[in-house]
Amino acid sequence: MAEFSWEIRSPLERALVAGPYGAHDDAGVSLTEIRNFDLVQVMTRRGKAAEMATAANGHFGVAAPEAPKAVQTADATLIWSGPDQIFVLSKGGKHGMDALAPVFSGAASLSDQSHARVLISISGAKARMMLAKLSSIDLHAEAFPIGAAAATSMDHTSVTLWRGNDRTDGQAVFNVLVFATFAESLWQTMLDSVAEYGIEIGHSEEF
């Protein structure tokens, strides 16, 4: 019997073309796809919230977010994804399904979302203006500081949105997780919404 294996490809492989796009002035927005990450959704079982919180604190050394926030550790990001649910974003398998299964045994159910979601990083002076066209979230620095997160929609597409650490030039960085099946459509919508500001599309980066 012939051996067969799937070749892993990004849903944005055809749509993402690195380089400038839109207005020819200085790019107001930078868009980059982040690849090769581990993403596990942790869903607390009924009546096990305290047990789940204890397990998360013991494993990561920080409290899992219980409100719309993203908490960074040395090698993972814990992102609120709904009531009693978080995403664990990491790389290298240290916090993948196999590693987390014994940690949360009995306290939470796990779902590997590593190849089911696309991660897009958005930054630049016009990033908030671009996002305001697609989302109803107030992204002003005072309303949406570093570490803020939301389970929301962009152009009628469900996403998880959070603000990461600022770039070295002080510009805010926003991260978007979107289902792989909707990623190309949302990417094209992003390009259309920001063309007037000018975009720098980055090569896909490793997480």
Side-chain angles (χ1 to χ4, degrees):
M1 181 176 179
E3 292 186 4
F4 178 82
S5 61
W6 292 102
E7 181 181 352
I8 298 173
R9 295 184 178 181
S10 165
L12 296 181
E13 185 168 321
R14 294 183 306 169
L16 193 157
V17 179
Y21 181 88
H24 297 295
D25 298 329
D26 291 339
V29 176
S30 175
L31 290 178
T32 304
E33 182 197 7
I34 309 299
R35 296 183 180 178
N36 295 332
F37 53 82
D38 295 315
L39 183 69
V40 178
Q41 189 167 24
V42 181
M43 298 162 284
T44 306
R45 294 180 180 175
R46 183 176 299 177
K48 299 290 186 176
E51 189 175 330
M52 182 273 192
T54 299
N57 205 330
H59 183 72
F60 296 106
V62 298
E66 298 179 351
K69 293 181 180 180
V71 178
Q72 285 192 288
T73 72
D75 53 10
T77 304
L78 310 184
I79 310 149
W80 182 91
S81 61
D84 298 323
Q85 298 182 37
I86 62 169
F87 283 123
V88 178
L89 178 65
S90 62
K91 66 176 295 184
K94 184 176 179 180
H95 303 295
M97 279 286 290
D98 290 343
L100 295 183
V103 173
F104 293 106
S105 177
S109 298
L110 307 183
S111 175
D112 189 347
Q113 297 290 306
S114 304
H115 300 299
R117 310 278 177 142
V118 170
L119 176 57
I120 300 170
S121 175
I122 306 165
S123 61
K126 304 289 187 179
R128 286 187 177 87
M129 297 175 68
M130 168 251 187
L131 289 168
K133 295 182 179 183
L134 304 176
S135 173
S136 60
I137 297 292
D138 183 355
L139 298 175
H140 188 276
E142 294 183 1
F144 206 81
I146 292 173
T152 183
S153 64
M154 296 178 66
D155 192 44
H156 308 291
T157 301
S158 296
V159 300
T160 299
L161 169 70
W162 76 97
R163 184 175 165 193
N165 292 328
D166 291 347
R167 298 191 321 197
T168 55
D169 62 3
Q171 295 292 344
V173 176
F174 300 94
N175 301 292
V176 175
L177 275 173
V178 57
F179 282 107
T181 49
F182 299 112
E184 185 173 351
S185 174
L186 182 59
W187 180 265
Q188 296 293 350
T189 299
M190 287 180 175
L191 295 185
D192 291 343
S193 69
V194 79
E196 65 175 299
Y197 307 131
I199 314 168
E200 182 62 33
I201 301 174
H203 289 279
S204 298
E205 296 181 359
E206 302 291 311
F207 179 75

